[in-house]
Amino acid sequence: MALFLIVSAALLLGGNALKEWLAAIMASITAHFSWLYLGIYIVNFVFFLGLACSHIGKIKLGDVNDKPAYSNFQWGSMVFATAIDASILMLSMVDPLRYVQQPLFGAKAMSAQNYQYAHMLGQFDWGPMAWMMFASAAVIIGYMMFVKHVHVMALSDAMPLLQGKGRTKRSLRLTVNFLVVFGIMGGIGSSVGMEIPVLAKIIAQISGIADTIWLKLALFVVLLVIFGLTMVQGLKGGIDRLSSMHIWTAIGFLVIVLLVGPTGSIIRSEMHSLGALVTRFAAMSTGLATATGGVNPVKSETVFYWGWWLTYMPFMGLFIARISKGRTIRQVIFGMLGFGALGCMAFYAILGGYSLSLQQSGAVNLIHTLNTQGQAATIAQVLTTLPFKYIMLVVYGVSCFIFLATTVSSSAYIVSAFTSTRLKATQQPSLLNRMVWMGIFMLFAFGIVFVGGFKTVQAICSVAGFPLIFVSALLIFSTWKLLVKDHSVVLAPQPVKAKVKRQVPRVLPVAHDSLHD
């Protein structure tokens, strides 16, 4: 808590002057450490995909007779809604517009081929490799909680390698837990810091109120109230209900955009993008995508997103594990890929396809707005091209609020669990603990808004995610040692029901009864 209060104060005092310094940090990370980000994602993706397809994937997270507490749709909704905040509604519109201005895979900027690559790149950065990162924490936490019946309060509790009373192991546990909280705060705080300016711009468009720092501060107060009400309800009755609202508002918004936009063009573009995604998947995964001028924008964008997804990994792992009792490891992994990766790709397919079509057709010069006024103004301009623009602005704003409330409430819930000193297996973190972390989230995010700029968000996400590369590697190694090498788990026979011996009915002699004769 002290660390983030200090960082928040530094952001508020440094203000706009910190922009260049943070941009330089992002450039340095991309130039010197991109191989670490790319490497851990490759190892993680291959390992857990193989695990899901092997016989280990059949292991149930729980006892033999345990059944899932949530239906498939409820489970998928909670997973998607918790991991994906309002950033998907925003970045899926503007990312393709940023990408098309850069030379992708050797194609010229703004060329027809580059439009196709720009439409595809976001779907890679929010696709299967990104979602598989959550498996590194979710699988081992779920296994330790529901198979080994270990009370997992912090991420270090799920790693048998770190258990023990020695000073070294105690120090390692504290280090892992500190890095986890640091990563969560950096990632989620950056998300909120990026999304509030967009919401402020939309409200200004609807109401005519001036888009000032005071409007943004008022939004933080409103969000804090919403988050507080959600946190009082907890996991059941609060977060799960928000998740369902989250999914239905998202689906409704996507369907409207698809129907009122150039539907045929968006669908055809998506078919081409899926083909390009398959053929370019290896090049993007390894950072070997070609680029002109010695700059690789594909790698730089992927490094930023890989850092961001890493910051979500610990709390999403614990959250997914807690709601996955009664499911097999295979169901958890493929469920994340199905609901998560395909859901995110749908946003980029429809919203990204719509904004690119507006630009390519010449209907609106969105790129000029993006380069001169920023993301918030660009998103507002896209929304005003839709029919009933004021209604669509309201629907979009409400969707963003629900997205934010779900993710930040869940994040504060998990961080409060990580930082509770004594917590029973069935007990929720104290309300005071949850509300204190909620307040710190808001203060840290407001500091990011005060500095401003998308490069600020990128730098903070990459820095926060960097130490979690090593935590993820430790989780993968722990999972391998626990599941792959533990023959008592792999070879343990599943209990079978005893066969019931078929009883042959015995014919008994019937006494002669003259009355019934």
Side-chain angles (χ1 to χ4, degrees), residues 137-408:
V139 169
I140 194 169
I141 292 175
Y143 179 78
M144 295 300 292
M145 288 175 64
F146 302 125
V147 178
K148 292 293 188 180
H149 303 290
V150 174
H151 176 35
V152 178
M153 187 172 65
L155 189 61
S156 61
D157 297 336
M159 302 182 195
L161 294 172
L162 302 184
Q163 306 313 308
K165 297 182 179 180
R167 182 177 297 176
T168 302
K169 291 192 174 182
R170 190 181 304 115
S171 299
L172 285 173
R173 290 197 299 271
L174 287 172
T175 301
V176 167
N177 295 335
F178 177 82
L179 293 177
V180 164
V181 175
F182 180 78
I184 292 174
M185 288 294 295
I188 307 300
S190 297
S191 297
V192 179
M194 180 186 67
E195 293 152 13
I196 287 295
V198 176
L199 288 172
K201 178 66 71 174
I202 291 171
I203 291 174
Q205 289 268 0
I206 298 172
S207 62
I209 299 174
D211 183 10
T212 63
I213 193 67
W214 296 107
L215 176 59
K216 296 177 178 66
L217 182 60
L219 285 177
F220 272 105
V221 173
V222 172
L223 285 172
L224 188 60
V225 172
I226 295 174
F227 298 158
L229 293 174
T230 306
M231 294 304 292
V232 169
Q233 293 295 325
L235 192 63
K236 282 188 173 291
I239 296 173
D240 56 348
R241 288 183 180 178
L242 271 177
S243 300
S244 298
M245 293 172 61
H246 182 160
I247 292 299
W248 287 115
T249 54
I251 291 174
F253 185 76
L254 287 180
V255 169
I256 291 172
V257 174
L258 180 62
L259 293 178
V260 302
T263 308
S265 176
I266 291 175
I267 293 174
R268 285 192 299 272
S269 182
E270 177 60 13
M271 294 298 103
H272 290 302
S273 292
L274 290 176
L277 181 62
V278 172
T279 58
R280 300 283 181 176
F281 190 85
M284 290 186 290
S285 303
T286 56
L288 298 177
T290 57
T292 58
V295 179
N296 192 337
V298 177
K299 181 188 289 186
S300 63
E301 291 295 333
T302 300
V303 166
F304 151 58
Y305 273 117
W306 278 186
W308 200 359
W309 286 93
L310 276 166
T311 64
Y312 277 70
M313 177 268 294
F315 101 85
M316 276 306 300
L318 183 56
F319 185 82
I320 292 172
R322 290 192 66 163
I323 64 173
S324 297
K325 185 178 181 181
R327 296 182 182 274
T328 65
I329 291 175
R330 182 177 298 160
Q331 288 173 333
V332 171
I333 292 175
F334 286 130
M336 288 189 304
L337 294 180
F339 285 96
L342 293 179
C344 289
M345 291 169 69
F347 275 90
Y348 271 84
I350 296 173
L351 299 185
Y354 182 66
S355 62
L356 284 175
S357 68
L358 290 174
Q359 178 66 40
Q360 194 171 18
S361 66
V364 185
N365 193 350
L366 296 173
I367 288 179
H368 175 74
T369 304
L370 178 63
N371 295 337
T372 57
Q373 302 178 46
Q375 293 188 138
T378 306
I379 292 167
Q381 191 173 21
V382 172
L383 294 175
T384 56
T385 63
L386 296 171
F388 311 106
K389 63 179 181 180
Y390 290 110
I391 295 176
M392 294 304 296
L393 284 167
V394 170
V395 171
Y396 183 85
V398 170
S399 298
C400 288
F401 265 90
I402 296 173
F403 273 54
L404 270 172
T406 309
T407 302
V408 179

Side-chain angles (χ1 to χ4, degrees), residues 25 41 132 261 302 334 357 506:
I25 290 177
Y41 271 80
M132 190 68 87
T302 300
F334 286 130
S357 68
R506 188 159 53 96

Side-chain angles (χ1 to χ4, degrees), residues 55-56 59 143-144 147-148 160 478-492:
H55 55 283
I56 296 174
I59 296 174
Y143 179 78
M144 295 300 292
V147 178
K148 292 293 188 180
S478 300
T479 304
W480 172 75
K481 189 171 183 180
L482 187 65
L483 295 179
V484 178
K485 297 190 70 176
D486 187 354
H487 295 293
S488 64
V489 173
V490 177
L491 303 179

